[in-house]
C-alpha cells in the first residue's frame, strides 16, 4: 500500500461524543477515512460523521456493544469484508461505575471490565489478522487512563481495567512489531468531558501541576501524532496526557 492516507482506514470506537468524537474528527482532518463507532448513541455517531463530512473528510458509521464478543466480531468482519482491513484502530470505548471498593456491586465491576478490558480483545481480535495479511503495517492505539497508571480512589474497577489495557497493549506491541504495526497506550488525566463533569474540580486542580483540566483536543492531538509517519518507531509506550498529574 502507498503512503496515501485515503487508503488507510481508521476505526475509532466510542466516537459518539467526548474524547472519541474529538479523535475521530482530528484523524479525519489528517486525511484518513474514519469509521465512527457507537455503542448506544447512534445520533451522536451520526453527528460525528456529519462533522467529518462537512469538513471534507470521509466517514462511515458502525454500531455494536464492544462488551458483546459475537456482535462485535460480526460487525467488524462485515466491515472488513466490504471495505478491506483497517490500517489503524483506536480502542477508545469505555465506561465508569465509580464507588469505593466495598460498595462496588458485582454488576458494576463486571460492566466496567467487560466494556473497558474485554472490549480491547473483542475489538482487536477480529482485526489483527486482516491487518497483518494486508502487509501495510498499521497503528493500534488503546485508551487507558491515569487511573490505570497510578490508581485512583473510588475507581478500583476502572483502574484495574485501564491497567489491564496497558499490559495488553505492551504485550501485543511485542507480537506485532516485526509486522511494522505499532501498539501504544494513551493515558489521559482529568479531561473536560461528560464523564468528569461531577468531579470535585477544586480538589482535583490542587493535584494537577498545570492547574487546569485537559481538553479533548489535547488527547486527539497525541492520537493523531501516533498515527503519523513520524511515530513509526514508537511502540510499546504509555503516553500520559495529564498536565503533570503522573
Amino acid at each position: 500500500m502507498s503512503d496515501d492516507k485515503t487508503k488507510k482506514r481508521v476505526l475509532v470506537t466510542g466516537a459518539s461524543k467526548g474524547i472519541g468524537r474529538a479523535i475521530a474528527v482530528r484523524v479525519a482532518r489528517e486525511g484518513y477515512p474514519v469509521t465512527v463507532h457507537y455503542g448506544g448513541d447512534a445520533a451522536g455517531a451520526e453527528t460525528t460523521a456529519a462533522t467529518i463530512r462537512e469538513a471534507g473528510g470521509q466517514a462511515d458509521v458502525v454500531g455494536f456493544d464492544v462488551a458483546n464478543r459475537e456482535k462485535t466480531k460480526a460487525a467488524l468482519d462485515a466491515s472488513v469484508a466490504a471495505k478491506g482491513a483497517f490500517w489503524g484502530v483506536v480502542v477508545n470505548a469505555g465506561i465508569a461505575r465509580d464507588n469505593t471498593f466495598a460498595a462496588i456491586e458485582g454488576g458494576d465491576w463486571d460492566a466496567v471490565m467487560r466494556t473497558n478490558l474485554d472490549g480491547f480483545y473483542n475489538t482487536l481480535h477480529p482485526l489483527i489478522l486482516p491487518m497483518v495479511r494486508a502487509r501495510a503495517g498499521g497503528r493500534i492505539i488503546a485508551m487507558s487512563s491515569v487511573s490505570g497508571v497510578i490508581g485512583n480512589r473510588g475507581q478500583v474497577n476502572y483502574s484495574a481495567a485501564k491497567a489491564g489495557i496497558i499490559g495488553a497493549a505492551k504485550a501485543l506491541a511485542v507480537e506485532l512489531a516485526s509486522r511494522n504495526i505499532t501498539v501504544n497506550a494513551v493515558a489521559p488525566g482529568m479531561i473536560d468531558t461528560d464523564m468528569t463533569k461531577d468531579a470535585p474540580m477544586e480538589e482535583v486542580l490542587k493535584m494537577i501541576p498545570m492547574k487546569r483540566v485537559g481538553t479533548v483536543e489535547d488527547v486527539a492531538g497525541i492520537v493523531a501524532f501516533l498515527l503519523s509517519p513520524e511515530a513509526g518507531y514508537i511502540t510499546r509506550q504509555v503516553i500520559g496526557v495529564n498536565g503533570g498529574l503522573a
Side-chain angles (χ1 to χ4, degrees):
M1 181 180 290
S2 71
D3 290 333
D4 184 0
K5 290 180 180 179
T6 63
K7 296 180 180 179
K8 295 179 174 180
R9 290 207 300 151
V10 177
L11 168 68
V12 182
T13 67
S16 292
K17 59 185 177 182
I19 291 174
R21 172 178 287 172
I23 290 170
V25 170
R26 175 60 187 272
V27 169
R29 197 168 80 213
E30 296 296 324
Y32 300 98
V34 176
T35 294
V36 176
H37 162 267
Y38 69 92
D41 185 3
E46 292 293 349
T47 297
T48 301
T51 300
I52 290 170
R53 294 178 191 126
E54 287 166 6
Q58 301 178 56
D60 64 334
V61 175
V62 63
F64 53 84
D65 178 2
V66 297
N68 186 312
R69 187 163 299 157
E70 291 74 22
K71 289 185 178 180
T72 299
K73 176 175 168 52
L76 293 176
D77 283 350
S79 181
V80 170
K83 297 186 176 183
F86 285 99
W87 178 83
V89 184
V90 183
V91 183
N92 170 75
I95 62 171
R97 297 286 186 271
D98 295 351
N99 216 329
T100 58
F101 183 67
I104 294 176
E105 299 287 345
D108 286 340
W109 178 274
D110 291 343
V112 168
M113 289 297 171
R114 288 171 182 165
T115 298
N116 297 358
L117 187 52
D118 289 359
F120 177 96
Y121 174 89
N122 296 344
T123 301
L124 290 175
H125 196 259
L127 301 180
I128 293 301
L129 283 180
M131 186 182 287
V132 168
R133 288 168 180 157
R135 298 180 181 274
R139 301 282 196 272
I140 294 170
I141 300 157
M143 301 305 295
S144 180
S145 167
V146 68
S147 295
V149 177
I150 63 174
N152 192 30
R153 178 182 175 86
Q155 289 193 315
V156 175
N157 51 356
Y158 188 77
S159 296
K162 291 299 189 177
I165 286 172
I166 289 173
K170 283 178 171 283
L172 185 59
V174 177
E175 293 188 6
L176 296 178
S178 66
R179 306 288 188 168
N180 198 30
I181 298 170
T182 67
V183 186
N184 293 287
V186 172
M190 183 60 65
I191 306 298
D192 185 13
T193 66
D194 288 346
M195 191 178 284
T196 60
K197 65 183 178 182
D198 296 325
M201 204 54 65
E202 186 174 333
E203 294 301 312
V204 168
L205 290 176
K206 291 178 182 177
M207 299 185 292
I208 302 174
M210 290 192 74
K211 302 303 179 187
R212 72 169 178 89
V213 297
T215 68
V216 292
E217 288 78 17
D218 290 329
V219 182
I222 289 296
V223 173
F225 170 70
L226 289 173
L227 288 169
S228 73
E230 290 80 4
Y233 198 54
I234 299 173
T235 196
R236 207 183 183 190
Q237 302 304 304
V238 181
I239 301 175
V241 187
N242 57 48
L245 181 60

